[in-house]
């Protein structure tokens, strides 16, 4: 018979010590109070536990909830965007009353005058159509000839109401020229590089006359222009001005090479479109079975004359087009027969950049099998070939010929016909490539404060010798006809103020004085000064003909002219004549070099003076970022970004448009 034996019990203290109670686990402390059941022993199995399944379910529910949030917000955002577009269209497409618009009689029937008895546009059609424009008619008339980087820089810094502004340009838009090589092969659309000049001038209530400047009558302050009309006929007329800014750019230098009519240039949108058509036409003809192997090689031979940024970037863009797009849609034999040649007269391409950048670009082109022909001179260009001369290994000059159906000429600049005409009218204008201006960008020989020139159309004077007698009169305090060291210091300050580009040559004032004091009498005679100033002028390097220089000059001139207009009453009260206003409101122009960059085919190079940066995709995206930020408007920035995305996803457009 079984008997129940009671288990031994442990005496329970009604009030355990605080230390012992706190040392117990949480569930044990709760058990002491009778409010917690001791947990059961854990068991493990191969199947997922109920808690794991709950976690998975919770995660799926969270993901679904956030997905619904995202979809809902997208639908709401799309609805708001659609509604905003609808409202915009509703308020945009409305009828506007244009009845009774006032027009000046002199705009409808211009008077004739000037040396050639041409119509004088003293009033324009929109001069008095509203109160704001009517007020501007009484302001000084500022005429800007050209629509490039310099002209846009001026317009960017002028304030509304300063001047009655008229832009004279053969094009109705401004072009972002650094990306023309990309537009020539379809990497970006030409529409992404242009901004209408009328939109830019609208902020200033300015006018645009689609015409070409042909002559200048400074004595009567008349600009002669030739209009561009659809029927092919042209008409000439005069535009009066109070201040004139010449910003017409330049043309390509021929260097006396015959046959350049067979070459392409790359300065305008039309040039880029023509190059693109020729490239596509060449590939289409080369892909025909009836084309002979010799003709196919000639059609697919691309020659670029000039190793500067434009030539290098164009060669790189043509290589990218062939390597990334044409190879996928044309017969493979066409890609095999492609040859790209770059002819440079100097020893290295990109010779204005640092030596490291030049060598990096050359190694990149050699890797891409682009034929570099350096230290060579183009002798002639024919319809089917290019002839050039170069020295052989033994030092003898040899002549070579490259069969080709595409030649790009990009070798230096020359005067625009209008700037040549202006220079011919003025004394002491002996520069062969541009109009010479002073440090305030005023055309030398023209009436002070009336005619300015900026960008490729101008070059800032570097010679100090013409100011020798004037500088001596200012510095020779004892009138002994000699300049001692103290007077030389005064003269140096005057030279720096008149020609800021000479500052680097005048850092060692004492050394220069002692070097040219040939007789050792601690003074400089007129002859010694003439030799010294001549040597200084020869060492000054002229500013390059780049978009960066033109933009900075335009912005400087825009700021200065705005100050002249706003302080005209103060200047007049102080007895300053209009021609003295430039120096009263602003110092001379000083160029700040921000660096040079170039694209070399899925890679880019940056020359920042003391620092150089070159590389592959990272440098290329940095190059794109710089050019994207330099766009004229948000519209072109958006279009440019879209073009790069489209090119990256779907490739370049190979249509012949």
């Amino acid at each position: 018979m079984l008997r129940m034996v009671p288990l031994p019990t442990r005496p329970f203290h009604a009030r355990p010590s605080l230390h012992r109670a706190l040392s117990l686990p949480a569930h044990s402390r709760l058990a002491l109070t009778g409010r917690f059941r001791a947990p059961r022993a854990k068991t493990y199995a191969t199947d997922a536990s109920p808690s794991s399944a709950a976690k998975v379910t919770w995660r799926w529910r969270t993901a679904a909830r956030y997905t619904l949030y995202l979809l809902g917000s997208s639908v709401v955002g799309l609805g708001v965007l659609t509604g905003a577009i609808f409202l915009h269209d509703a308020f945009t497409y409305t009828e506007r009353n244009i009845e009774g618009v006032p027009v000046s009689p002199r705009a409808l029937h211009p008077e004739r005058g000037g040396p050639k008895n041409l119509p004088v546009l003293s009033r324009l059609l929109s001069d008095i159509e509203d109160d704001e424009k009517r007020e501007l008619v009484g302001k000084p008339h500022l005429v800007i000839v050209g629509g490039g980087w310099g002209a846009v820089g001026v317009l960017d810094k002028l304030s509304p109401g300063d001047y009655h502004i008229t832009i004279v340009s053969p094009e109705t838009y401004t072009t972002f020229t650094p990306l023309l090589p990309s537009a020539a092969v379809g990497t970006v659309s030409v529409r992404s590089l242009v901004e209408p000049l009328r939109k830019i001038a609208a902020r200033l209530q300015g006018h645009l006359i689609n015409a070409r400047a042909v002559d200048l009558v400074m004595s009567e302050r008349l600009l002669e222009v030739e209009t561009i009309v659809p029927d092919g006929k042209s008409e000439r007329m005069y535009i009066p001005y109070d201040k004139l800014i010449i910003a017409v750019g330049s043309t390509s230098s021929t260097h006396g090479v015959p046959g350049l009519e067979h070459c392409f240039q790359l300065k305008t949108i039309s040039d880029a479109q023509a190059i693109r058509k020729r490239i596509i036409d060449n590939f289409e003809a080369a892909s025909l079975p009836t084309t002979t192997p010799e003709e196919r090689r000639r059609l697919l031979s691309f020659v670029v004359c000039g190793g500067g940024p434009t030539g290098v970037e164009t060669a790189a863009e043509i290589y990218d087009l062939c390597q990334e797009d044409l190879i996928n849609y044309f017969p493979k034999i066409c890609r095999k027969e492609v040859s790209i040649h770059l002819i440079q007269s100097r020893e290295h391409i990109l010779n204005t950049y640092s030596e490291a950048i030049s060598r990096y670009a050359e190694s990149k082109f050699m890797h891409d099998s682009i034929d570099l022909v350096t230290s060579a001179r183009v002798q002639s260009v024919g319809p089917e070939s290019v002839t050039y001369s170069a020295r052989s290994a033994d030092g003898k000059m040899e002549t070579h010929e490259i069969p080709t159906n595409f030649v790009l000429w990009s070798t230096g600049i020359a005067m625009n016909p209008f700037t040549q005409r202006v220079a011919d009218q003025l004394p002491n204008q002996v520069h062969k490539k541009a109009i010479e201006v002073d440090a305030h960008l005023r055309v030398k020989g023209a009436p002070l404060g009336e005619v300015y020139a900026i960008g490729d159309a101008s070059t800032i004077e570097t010679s100090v010798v013409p100011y020798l007698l004037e500088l001596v009169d200012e510095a020779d305090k004892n009138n002994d006809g000699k300049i001692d060291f103290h007077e030389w210091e005064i003269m140096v300050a005057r030279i720096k103020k008149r020609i800021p580009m000479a500052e680097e040559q005048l850092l060692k004032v004492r050394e220069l004085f002692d070097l040219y004091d040939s007789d050792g009498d601690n003074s400089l005679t007129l002859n010694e000064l003439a030799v010294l100033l001549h040597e200084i002028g020869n060492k000054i390097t002229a500013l390059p003909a780049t978009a960066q220089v033109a933009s900075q000059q335009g912005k400087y001139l825009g700021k200065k002219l705005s100050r002249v207009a706003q302080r005209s009453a103060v200047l007049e009260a102080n007895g300053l004549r209009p021609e003295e206003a430039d120096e009263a409101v602003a110092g001379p122009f000083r160029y700040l070099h921000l660096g040079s960059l170039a694209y070399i085919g899925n890679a880019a190079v940056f020359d920042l003076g003391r620092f150089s940066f070159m590389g592959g995709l990272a440098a290329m995206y940095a190059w794109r970022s710089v050019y994207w930020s330099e766009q004229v408007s948000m519209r072109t920035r958006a279009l440019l970004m879209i073009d790069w995305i489209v090119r990256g996803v779907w490739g370049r457009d190979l249509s012949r448009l």
Side-chain angles (χ1 to χ4, degrees), residues 389-441:
S389 61
R391 292 191 179 276
S392 61
D394 56 2
K396 296 181 179 180
M397 294 298 297
E398 295 182 349
T399 301
H400 304 268
E401 185 178 74
I402 303 177
T404 182
N405 195 44
F406 176 92
V407 181
L408 173 67
W409 187 262
S410 176
T411 59
I413 65 170
M415 268 194 182
N416 179 285
F418 175 65
T419 58
Q420 182 68 64
R421 174 59 182 157
V422 173
D424 291 341
Q425 297 182 31
L426 299 173
N428 302 325
Q429 285 285 348
V430 295
H431 201 280
K432 296 181 180 180
K433 296 183 178 180
I435 297 176
E436 197 169 32
V437 298
D438 63 11
H440 286 268
L441 307 183

Side-chain angles (χ1 to χ4, degrees), residues 85-105:
I85 295 174
F86 177 80
L87 290 175
H88 174 269
D89 291 345
F91 285 100
T92 301
Y93 300 107
T94 57
E95 295 184 0
R96 295 186 179 183
N97 183 19
I98 55 174
E99 298 293 334
V101 177
V103 180
S104 172

Side-chain angles (χ1 to χ4, degrees), residues 14 26 34 57 64 77 85 211 215 238 284 323 342 403 460 480 491 553 608:
T57 303
I85 295 174
D215 203 353
Y238 287 125
E284 292 292 351
Q323 189 72 11
L342 195 152
I460 299 178
D480 61 351
M491 182 177 289
Q553 288 180 340
L608 306 177

Side-chain angles (χ1 to χ4, degrees), residues 164 423 510 558 626 653:
H164 182 211
R510 186 74 214 190
V626 172
D653 182 12

Side-chain angles (χ1 to χ4, degrees), residues 42-59:
K42 293 184 179 180
T43 59
Y44 298 89
T46 57
D47 298 336
S49 62
S51 59
S52 299
K55 289 181 179 179
V56 173
T57 303
W58 177 80
R59 289 173 181 172

Side-chain angles (χ1 to χ4, degrees), residues 459-524:
T459 182
I460 299 178
E461 62 179 343
T462 58
S463 178
V464 193
V465 176
Y467 301 103
L468 173 60
L469 297 180
E470 183 179 344
L471 291 170
V472 170
D473 289 340
E474 293 177 354
D476 189 10
K477 300 301 182 180
N478 55 11
N479 297 322
D480 61 351
K482 295 183 178 181
I483 300 297
D484 59 26
F485 181 71
H486 175 68
E487 294 171 339
W488 167 241
E489 289 179 319
I490 297 175
M491 182 177 289
V492 167
R494 296 290 191 273
I495 295 174
K496 290 181 178 179
K497 184 177 180 181
R498 188 177 295 273
I499 303 180
M501 295 170 60
E503 289 182 349
E504 292 186 4
Q505 312 302 326
L506 296 171
L507 296 177
K508 299 179 180 180
V509 180
R510 186 74 214 190
E511 287 82 344
L512 281 173
F513 184 86
D514 294 338
L515 179 63
Y516 287 90
D517 183 14
S518 56
D519 53 8
D521 62 348
N522 200 32
S523 65
L524 297 176

Side-chain angles (χ1 to χ4, degrees), residues 361-384:
E362 290 171 355
S363 64
K364 177 69 167 59
F365 276 13
M366 291 178 184
H367 176 269
D368 295 339
S369 299
I370 295 177
D371 180 29
L372 292 179
V373 183
T374 57
S375 301
R377 294 280 182 179
V378 176
Q379 298 298 322
S380 64
V381 180
E384 296 185 353

Side-chain angles (χ1 to χ4, degrees), residues 211-242:
R212 182 180 294 105
V214 294
D215 203 353
L216 186 62
V217 185
M218 296 186 188
S219 59
E220 301 183 36
R221 291 195 294 192
L222 294 175
L223 172 69
E224 183 181 346
V225 302
E226 185 178 35
T227 59
I228 302 169
V229 291
D231 60 2
K233 296 181 180 179
S234 61
E235 183 181 4
R236 294 197 175 190
M237 59 194 68
Y238 287 125
I239 300 176
Y241 65 86
D242 294 306

